[in-house]
């Protein structure tokens, strides 16, 4: 177990305690998470490693309120997400969390700028404000000249940068990323890793990243390995 003696501070963005998750199988319950404890500090990158099937994505989905634990508590900035109804969680995700996945999931019929605007518009932000914010975050990820381009006109690395910009658009407390460079070539992956590091250092953005990429793990402030349902410090 980790972080049992951690004292809550203003720098704690995420605190999870005793997270358990299992799934039924013909041979009985398969325990994926067996009491995960985790604290994430503001302005840091936490990388979670582990073998395929270890439960990394399951844990990330639970932390992001996309799945529910069988037991345990989760707080984001002191707000207990495990005690909320789905309508509250939907608003919470829209306003306080950002997500980046292995595939960018950009809407092909819309421009990069419009894709970044989309979550803001869904959250009720006026179109003019959403457009201004989209342009700001696209500039922050180095794509200020690519806003009018559709996903098919972007390279893989550029498309994933747009996905990062979309995740940052709502100024989230926390960004959760599942294999963000998994579909990129080595050069594009290195560029994305440098981007995440700069957002952490320059913008004090907080990331929890699930990855198999050692180079991405190398830029993290803390690296944990999920094994046998629990998190362990990685040497």
């Amino acid at each position: 177990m980790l972080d049992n003696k951690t004292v809550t501070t203003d720098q704690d963005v995420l605190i999870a305690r005793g997270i358990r998750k299992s799934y039924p199988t013909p041979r009985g319950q398969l325990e994926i998470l067996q009491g995960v404890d985790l604290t994430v500090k503001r302005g840091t990158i936490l990388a979670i490693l582990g073998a395929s099937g270890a439960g990394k994505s399951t844990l990330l989905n639970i932390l992001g309120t996309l799945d529910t634990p069988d037991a345990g508590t989760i707080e984001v900035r002191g707000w207990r997400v495990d005690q909320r109804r789905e309508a509250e969680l939907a608003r919470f995700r829209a306003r306080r969390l950002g997500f980046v996945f292995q595939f960018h999931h950009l809407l092909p019929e819309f421009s990069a700028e419009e894709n970044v605007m989309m979550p803001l518009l869904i959250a009720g932000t006026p179109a003019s404000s959403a457009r201004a914010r989209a342009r700001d975050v696209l500039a922050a990820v180095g794509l200020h000249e690519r806003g009018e381009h559709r996903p098919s006109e972007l390279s893989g690395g550029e498309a994933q940068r747009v996905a990062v910009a979309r995740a940052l658009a709502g100024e989230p407390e926390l960004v959760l990323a599942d294999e963000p460079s998994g579909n990129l070539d080595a050069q594009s992956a290195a560029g994305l890793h440098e981007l995440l590091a700069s957002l952490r250092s320059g913008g004090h953005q907080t990331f929890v990243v699930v990855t198999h990429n050692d180079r991405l793990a190398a830029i993290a402030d803390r690296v944990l390995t999920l094994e046998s349902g629990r998190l362990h410090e990685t040497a």
Side-chain angles (χ1 to χ4, degrees):
M1 287 179 142
L2 297 172
D3 302 322
N4 282 341
K5 296 181 181 179
T6 300
V7 176
T8 302
T9 73
D10 289 341
Q11 294 300 309
D12 294 335
V13 173
L14 171 71
I15 302 174
R17 292 287 180 267
I19 302 300
R20 292 183 172 272
K21 186 69 176 181
S22 63
Y23 295 99
T25 73
R27 297 184 178 182
Q29 290 294 114
L30 177 62
E31 293 191 58
I32 302 298
L33 305 175
Q34 302 181 32
V36 170
D37 296 330
L38 180 65
T39 300
V40 182
K41 300 292 186 182
R42 179 177 178 269
T44 64
I45 298 176
L46 169 68
I48 299 177
L49 309 179
S52 296
K56 303 183 301 299
S57 294
T58 297
L59 175 59
L60 202 71
N61 287 340
I62 289 173
L63 297 178
T65 74
L66 298 172
D67 196 0
T68 56
D70 297 332
T73 64
I74 303 169
E75 296 182 15
V76 176
R77 287 292 194 186
W79 198 76
R80 282 281 299 274
V81 303
D82 55 286
Q83 297 179 333
R84 309 295 173 170
R85 297 180 178 179
E86 180 53 38
E88 291 180 285
L89 291 176
R91 291 193 293 270
F92 167 79
R93 285 191 294 269
R95 296 171 182 172
R96 301 181 68 177
L97 297 181
F99 296 90
V100 182
F101 301 100
Q102 184 171 350
F103 186 69
H104 55 70
H105 294 297
L106 300 179
L107 300 175
E109 65 271 31
F110 294 99
S111 68
E113 183 178 287
E114 290 166 338
N115 268 279
V116 176
M117 290 173 61
M118 204 65 65
L120 297 174
L121 296 174
I122 292 172
T125 303
S128 58
S129 298
R131 190 173 300 280
R133 174 61 181 165
R135 289 174 177 172
D136 285 345
V137 289
L138 283 171
V141 301
L143 293 177
H144 63 285
E145 296 181 349
R146 304 288 272 166
E148 297 305 314
H149 293 255
R150 294 188 178 186
S152 61
E153 301 170 315
L154 302 173
S155 69
E158 288 173 334
Q160 197 66 328
R161 282 174 176 261
V162 174
V164 172
R166 180 180 57 193
L168 297 173
E171 300 181 88
E173 302 271 6
L174 176 66
V175 175
L176 302 166
D178 194 350
E179 296 285 1
S181 56
N183 275 338
L184 302 181
D185 60 64
Q187 182 177 355
S188 297
L192 181 67
H193 301 164
E194 290 175 6
L195 171 63
L196 298 183
S198 69
L199 292 169
R200 177 263 319 270
S201 301
H204 305 294
Q205 186 62 59
T206 308
F207 295 90
V208 175
V209 182
V210 162
T211 184
H212 285 104
N213 191 303
D214 291 338
R215 292 185 178 181
L216 176 51
I219 70 167
D221 301 280
R222 188 181 185 193
V223 181
L224 304 176
T225 298
L226 184 61
E227 185 178 11
S228 300
R230 296 177 183 272
L231 286 172
H232 306 275
E233 296 282 356
T234 301

